[in-house]
């Protein structure tokens, strides 16, 4: 386990425990087990769990789990509504204070690293989303492809482009949107903090699997289980609503984006085992890429305590860290 940073070793009790990890690292299972040892409430750090009707493809906690342990920031919004790091930070700060006031431990669990970073370090002064600019960028992407927009971003903001994958549509769009609205590259604005008060004191525990191949196998197995649980029927239901489009943030979530494209093809007659296997392969590959990005984010966090999520005593290690902070 990585040695704690001075911030993590401070005598003052943190305001909350932040339990982060890549997708399929076992965060939710550990969080539920911790609830048997500590009087805690779980706050989701997940940009997909906020949406109602997106249950199977997000591995949302079951109704029984949510009944046995209080969960927050789940099923907040319809998938037509955008959620942001700023909204998360506001909600999380409020919840941390309320949970502590009840004499309980706020355990923030998830893998949306941008949300975790915003909460831990404060928000940058960035413009709000502009629907017109986003619609124009979506139209360009539909015509030219996201790699072409990534190439354009590389010309105006090479620093941001270098850290984004060409297919990372949501972040490429945001970087281009910021430049369109401000005339400045996103990389020049990062670090200009909003005046929203000091961030909460957080003790960060990172679940980082020592064997990437095992994580990849888990991702594939979990996606197969989602399909067996009715994931495609869930996406069919979302499409049938009539108010959702593939370019919306909710529908860009890993798995949903690939499922939407697959169902589009089925409607146009592209049936067959080959197309289905390509859908599965694309969804699993996208999830692996997500896990890779999450691990990169985690390793950039200096003030974290690392636990191998594959270790037989991972729960014991996490429990000991929390107990030390809660003394």
């Amino acid at each position: 386990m990585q040695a704690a940073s001075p911030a993590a070793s401070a005598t003052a009790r943190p305001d909350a425990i932040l339990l982060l990890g890549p997708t399929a690292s076992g965060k939710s299972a550990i969080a539920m087990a911790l609830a048997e040892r500590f009087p805690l409430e779980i706050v989701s750090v997940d940009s997909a769990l906020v949406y109602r009707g997106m249950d199977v493809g997000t591995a949302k906690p079951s109704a029984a789990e949510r009944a046995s342990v209080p969960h927050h920031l789940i099923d907040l919004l319809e998938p037509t509504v955008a959620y942001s790091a700023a909204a998360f930070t506001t909600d999380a700060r409020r919840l941390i204070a309320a949970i502590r006031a009840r004499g309980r431990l706020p355990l923030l669990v998830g893998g949306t690293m941008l949300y975790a970073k915003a909460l831990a370090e404060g928000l940058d002064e960035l413009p709000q989303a502009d629907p017109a600019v986003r619609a124009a960028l979506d139209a360009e992407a539909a015509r030219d492809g996201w790699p072409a927009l990534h190439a354009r971003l590389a010309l105006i903001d090479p620093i941001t482009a270098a850290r984004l994958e060409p297919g990372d549509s949501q972040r490429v769009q945001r970087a281009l949107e910021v430049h369109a609205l401000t005339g400045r590259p996103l990389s020049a604005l990062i670090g200009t903090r909003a005046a929203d008060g000091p961030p909460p004191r957080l003790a960060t525990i990172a679940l980082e699997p020592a064997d990437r191949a095992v994580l990849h196998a888990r991702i594939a197995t979990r996606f197969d289980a989602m399909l067996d649980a009715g994931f495609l029927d869930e996406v069919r239901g979302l499409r049938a609503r009539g108010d959702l489009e593939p370019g919306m943030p909710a529908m860009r979530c890993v798995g949903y984006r690939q499922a939407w494209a697959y169902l589009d093809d089925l409607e146009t007659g592209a049936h067959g085992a080959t197309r289905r296997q390509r859908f599965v392969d694309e969804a699993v590959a996208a999830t692996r890429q997500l896990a890779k990005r999450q691990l990169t984010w985690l390793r950039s966090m200096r003030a974290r305590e690392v636990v191998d999520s594959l270790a037989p005593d991972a729960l014991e290690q996490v429990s000991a860290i929390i107990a030390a902070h809660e003394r």
Side-chain angles (χ1 to χ4, degrees):
M1 183 174 71
Q2 176 172 310
S5 69
S9 302
T11 55
R13 185 180 70 171
D15 296 315
I17 302 292
L18 192 56
L19 181 64
L20 302 176
T23 185
S25 59
K27 300 180 297 295
S28 297
I30 285 182
M32 291 300 296
L34 289 170
E36 299 177 4
R37 305 181 180 203
F38 300 94
L40 60 81
E41 299 184 26
I42 295 172
V43 179
S44 170
V45 187
D46 190 301
S47 59
L49 293 188
V50 298
Y51 294 118
R52 292 189 283 269
M54 296 173 60
D55 303 331
V56 178
T58 62
K60 190 172 287 180
S62 68
E65 289 171 329
R66 292 162 67 182
S68 64
V69 180
H71 284 68
H72 303 277
L73 302 188
I74 294 177
D75 286 348
L76 285 184
L77 304 168
E78 289 298 313
T80 51
V81 181
Y83 196 62
S84 66
F88 169 79
T89 299
T90 298
D91 290 339
R93 285 176 176 237
R94 170 181 53 79
L95 286 164
I96 288 169
I99 293 167
R100 279 298 189 191
R102 291 193 284 271
R104 298 173 69 81
L105 167 66
L107 181 67
L108 281 67
V109 183
T112 301
M113 302 304 169
L114 179 62
Y115 287 9
K117 180 178 175 66
L119 182 64
E121 300 179 10
L123 288 163
D124 296 303
E125 287 280 19
L126 298 176
Q128 295 293 315
D130 186 298
V133 172
R134 291 195 168 190
L137 290 169
D138 281 336
E140 287 185 52
R143 183 185 68 237
D144 303 328
W146 284 106
L149 271 69
H150 182 270
R152 175 148 67 89
L153 178 63
L155 296 175
I156 60 178
D157 188 355
I159 294 174
T160 298
R163 66 178 177 81
L164 298 180
E165 298 288 339
D168 191 351
S169 59
Q170 194 164 353
R171 291 178 177 83
V172 170
Q173 183 190 60
R174 178 56 174 160
L176 289 170
E177 176 188 39
V178 167
H179 185 269
L181 294 173
T182 68
R184 300 178 64 193
L186 176 64
S187 56
L189 296 174
I190 296 294
T192 307
R193 299 299 180 194
D196 54 359
R201 297 185 307 275
L202 302 171
T204 302
I205 303 171
L207 294 174
E208 300 179 19
D211 188 337
R212 191 75 63 88
V214 174
L215 180 65
H216 288 177
R218 282 187 175 184
I219 287 170
T221 299
R222 189 171 78 159
F223 191 70
D224 285 342
M226 288 177 177
L227 290 174
D228 290 342
F231 176 48
L232 283 173
D233 286 337
E234 178 174 272
V235 180
R236 286 188 180 96
L238 292 167
R239 288 162 60 91
R241 290 169 48 126
D243 58 353
L244 296 174
E245 298 176 358
M248 291 177 169
M251 294 300 100
R252 287 183 185 173
C253 292
V254 167
Y256 288 88
R257 182 169 67 248
Q258 291 77 23
W260 192 289
Y262 172 58
L263 293 174
D264 274 346
D265 284 353
L266 290 186
E267 290 183 357
T268 58
H271 297 271
T274 300
R275 179 62 185 94
R276 181 181 174 87
Q277 189 58 51
R278 180 158 63 88
F279 152 58
V280 172
D281 291 345
E282 288 172 349
V284 169
T287 309
R288 288 177 177 176
Q289 285 297 314
L290 170 61
K292 180 181 177 181
R293 292 195 299 271
Q294 290 169 319
L295 286 166
T296 299
W297 272 91
L298 283 173
R299 288 164 184 161
S300 72
M301 295 179 178
R302 295 184 300 275
R304 77 192 197 284
E305 297 172 87
V306 178
V307 173
D308 177 7
S309 60
L310 304 178
D313 64 340
L315 173 60
E316 298 303 327
Q317 290 186 49
V318 173
S319 183
I321 294 169
I322 293 176
H325 283 295
E326 287 295 294
R327 286 196 188 106

